[in-house]
Amino acid sequence: MKARQLTENQKDQLIGQTYDGTQFFNPIQDADGNWIISNEEVGQCTNQNFVIDANTCRKIVELAAIGRNDVVLEIGPGLGSLTLPLLEKAAKVYAVEIDQRLANQLPLTMKQNNAPVNSLMVLNKDAVNLTANDFQKSAKSDLAKIKVVANLPY
């Protein structure tokens, strides 16, 4: 079983997180008293790993130099940890998520966190198969200017 060690703050953020009414994080303490989470608990079908540290997400957005007029393509938003700070900065975020459960949950998570959901477009598909037709007409003229942001692999 793969596991990641968590800080106390990360553990507190994860306990009780749900989608489809099912708790999908169950941090446990190892023999040394460290909080850990099994990567097998989430993303089982697609072998996904998720960034959960808010500071890491803000740093990624800062390094990507996202501005108010930017259109962003986020590949693999997963739980939405990176999506939140992207929505705070960008004009529009296209989030491409292969896992249908996560894709369906993403707008709800953004709404729960008071993020501007009207600036989010979730595309439930494999990013490898993404084409210009997947974007709204307003963004097609700016395809060459879209900033791609991802945290693959974490």
Side-chain angles (χ1 to χ4, degrees):
M1 173 172 88
K2 291 171 83 177
R4 274 187 302 190
Q5 187 172 336
L6 304 173
T7 66
E8 190 70 27
N9 186 38
Q10 288 170 328
K11 179 217 31 134
D12 291 342
Q13 290 174 2
L14 293 174
I15 290 179
Q17 291 287 322
T18 64
Y19 69 82
D20 290 344
T22 305
Q23 183 169 337
F24 64 98
F25 281 121
N26 186 24
I28 59 172
Q29 280 188 298
D30 66 12
D32 297 323
N34 298 312
W35 286 99
I36 59 171
I37 180 170
S38 164
N39 288 335
E40 295 172 2
E41 292 185 51
V42 290
Q44 292 178 2
C45 298
T46 54
N47 196 26
Q48 296 185 48
N49 290 288
F50 303 99
V51 60
I52 55 173
D53 181 66
N55 291 323
T56 300
C57 294
R58 284 190 290 270
K59 187 67 172 178
I60 291 169
V61 172
E62 178 187 331
L63 291 171
I66 304 300
R68 283 275 166 225
N69 296 320
D70 288 327
V71 176
V72 175
L73 171 62
E74 181 186 9
I75 299 173
L79 305 172
S81 300
L82 183 56
T83 312
L84 283 167
L86 284 171
L87 285 170
E88 290 174 4
K89 299 285 185 178
K92 184 82 172 176
V93 174
Y94 288 87
V96 183
E97 175 56 59
I98 194 170
D99 185 313
Q100 183 176 2
R101 296 172 300 166
L102 293 171
N104 291 342
Q105 181 61 34
L106 190 60
L108 302 173
T109 301
M110 296 304 104
K111 187 175 181 180
Q112 289 170 348
N113 286 279
N114 299 314
V117 180
N118 58 334
S119 298
L120 176 66
M121 170 65 89
V122 179
L123 304 170
N124 179 211
K125 67 184 310 176
D126 188 334
V128 171
N129 300 320
L130 197 64
T131 69
N133 292 330
D134 293 312
F135 295 91
Q136 293 177 342
K137 289 179 183 177
S138 61
K140 284 186 182 180
S141 62
D142 293 329
L143 282 179
K145 297 178 186 177
I146 287 179
K147 292 187 177 183
V148 179
V149 178
N151 190 44
L152 306 171
Y154 178 66

